[in-house]
Amino acid sequence: MHMEKHREDTEDTSQKVFTTSDIWTASYLEYRGITPHLEKRNGRVVFQFPSSDTLYSLLNAFNSGDAVPLAEYIDVYKTLKVKMYETRGPR
């Protein structure tokens, strides 16, 4: 089971946003159909998702060890990792 503290940010539009730097959590949410917005902050990339009841239900499922097909989950992880490096740019 993977547990990490997460925080919510508020964008200029006052829309609540769930933000995490954990690529495994982001990969799970992407696998389950919620696509993150990637943002570079202080040289690091964070994943942002619009807050919703569905999002928090999926986070609970993830933290409870919801089973997903490993090969498909790893494919999503690898794709997000490429997007993360593209967003971060050269160091």
Side-chain angles (χ1 to χ4, degrees), residues 1-88:
M1 176 165 44
H2 179 80
M3 300 286 288
E4 176 183 308
K5 283 190 174 180
H6 301 284
R7 65 180 195 159
E8 284 189 86
D9 291 335
T10 303
E11 291 184 310
D12 295 334
T13 61
S14 297
Q15 160 121 25
K16 293 282 187 178
V17 174
F18 170 79
T19 300
T20 183
S21 59
D22 181 42
I23 191 169
W24 295 104
T25 301
S27 297
Y28 175 82
L29 293 171
E30 170 93 6
Y31 174 78
R32 291 294 187 203
I34 304 178
T35 302
H37 167 75
L38 281 70
E39 181 179 302
K40 186 175 178 179
R41 288 191 187 168
N42 301 319
R44 296 191 62 171
V45 175
V46 296
F47 304 93
Q48 297 181 323
F49 300 86
S51 290
S52 69
D53 289 342
T54 300
L55 173 82
Y56 290 107
S57 291
L58 288 172
L59 288 171
N60 283 333
F62 176 74
N63 287 323
S64 297
D66 183 35
V68 294
L70 184 60
E72 293 173 33
Y73 181 59
I74 295 299
D75 285 344
V76 172
Y77 168 86
K78 288 177 181 177
T79 300
L80 267 185
K81 193 153 189 139
V82 168
K83 290 179 184 176
M84 185 182 75
Y85 286 130
E86 289 172 349
T87 301
R88 187 180 69 194

